[in-house]
Amino acid sequence: MPEKNREDWDPRSDIVLSNQIEAYDKMRRRCPVAFSDYLGWSLFRYEDVAQALEDHRAFSSVVSSHFSAPSGMDPPQHTAYRRLVERHFEREKVEAFEPHCRAISADLVSALQRGGEIEMVARLAQRFAIRIQCSFLGWPDSLHGPLLSWVRKNYEATLARDTAAMAAIALEFDGYISELLEARRQAGSAAPDDITTSLLQDRINDRRLSHEEIVSILRNWTVGELGTITACVGILAHHLAQNQELQQKLRENLSLLPAAIDEILRLQAPLISNRRVTTRSVEIGGRKIAAGERITLMWASANRDEAIFGDPDEVRLDRDPEQNLLYGRGIHVCPGAQLARLELRVLMEELLTRTRQIAPVPTQLAVFAIYPAGGFAALPLIVT
């Protein structure tokens, strides 16, 4: 174990932030369990990340002093909240959402300018993430504009590492949720029949959820969804623009999309990392780590591990989906994975069937997002 003042790497160096995926590939080969003051212990190899995911007793998810349901909890507390959340992602509820998702996707794709340069993050990815999330939760269209502004402010504050601004922006988001909940309380039996209203009636351990609990659940759903879905759409559009042969193959056979989407998002992670803390002394990747140490699970590296996937940049549509850590593993596997897959599949179906080609802009390069964000900060493309 290194001394606390001796780092194995600097996650905030320019060389890392300029291309996170490439930098993490190098770390996985050079120092797969690495210490830094910023991230604590970072795990880069697939087997080490999987070990931490599957051993929730040694690697706790209670990493923050703020209440976070259910992602920031361990059993037995996690179990009851997780069961409550899963009810809202049952298969029939997700499948019933497909027509709404398709209408939103068709509207956004139809509105894209044809033949000229389009900034795909702002014009499609962010707008899709906001509209799809509002629709699923039953939030009004009047929130689209404020949430779009909120997403951009949040990204800028994160980019600038402005902790005071990030805290204020977080409070602003909680304010939106509180207003929605208060409106439903005031409406009583006339409140909309949606997930947000149902949370006011949900019970845990034979009692109603508190306001704080509902806000936490909705915050975790929404903030995570807005960021990751935005990143996913950008990554998928960029990859297809750069790989015309695969794009044409998918246009000719849309049934290949589910496997292709998961595989493309394995190559370039929409969610860079996740956090844990050790509850006891552990040995992982040949290094001894004491109890109480911060652990960073580097999804963006683990899902590209040559020991599991061979050439990490090869797109193979016949891979075992169980190997892909895109939606996690263990007790904290993403409860909304089925919904996210449906949303991305439907959007890509509409994008491919309503256009002839997605191509890069010869004179403009895509701009990578920087930690903790994945995907792209700017993505100029041409759609015809």
Side-chain angles (χ1 to χ4, degrees), residues 186-198:
Q186 293 292 331
S189 60
D193 181 17
D194 56 33
I195 291 176
T196 305
T197 298
S198 71

Side-chain angles (χ1 to χ4, degrees), residues 142-193:
S142 59
L143 264 182
H144 293 171
L147 283 179
L148 187 61
S149 175
W150 183 91
V151 165
R152 290 169 180 166
K153 285 190 294 185
N154 187 52
Y155 177 77
E156 288 168 3
T158 303
L159 193 66
R161 301 176 195 138
D162 187 338
T163 54
M166 290 167 68
I169 291 166
L171 283 176
E172 178 185 337
F173 189 86
D174 286 1
Y176 293 139
I177 298 176
S178 294
E179 289 176 10
L180 290 165
L181 294 174
E182 183 57 29
R184 283 158 171 74
R185 291 189 183 101
Q186 293 292 331
S189 60
D193 181 17

Side-chain angles (χ1 to χ4, degrees), residues 50-70:
Q51 178 183 331
L53 291 173
E54 292 165 357
D55 187 357
H56 60 267
R57 292 178 179 82
F59 297 89
S60 170
S61 293
V62 184
V63 297
S64 172
S65 58
H66 299 290
F67 183 83
S68 180

Side-chain angles (χ1 to χ4, degrees), residues 6-18:
R6 183 172 155 229
E7 297 185 308
D8 293 314
W9 72 309
D10 180 5
R12 292 177 288 184
S13 69
D14 291 341
I15 194 167
V16 170
L17 295 180
S18 65

Side-chain angles (χ1 to χ4, degrees), residues 3 18 28 46 76 92 109 111 121 174-176 190 218 228 230 254 280 283-284 328 334 347 354 369:
E3 296 295 330
S18 65
R28 184 177 62 253
Y46 185 99
E92 55 271 21
V109 172
V121 173
D174 286 1
Y176 293 139
L218 287 172
T228 54
T230 295
L254 293 176
R280 57 177 172 79
E283 183 170 333
I284 190 163
C334 178
L347 176 63
R354 292 175 181 270

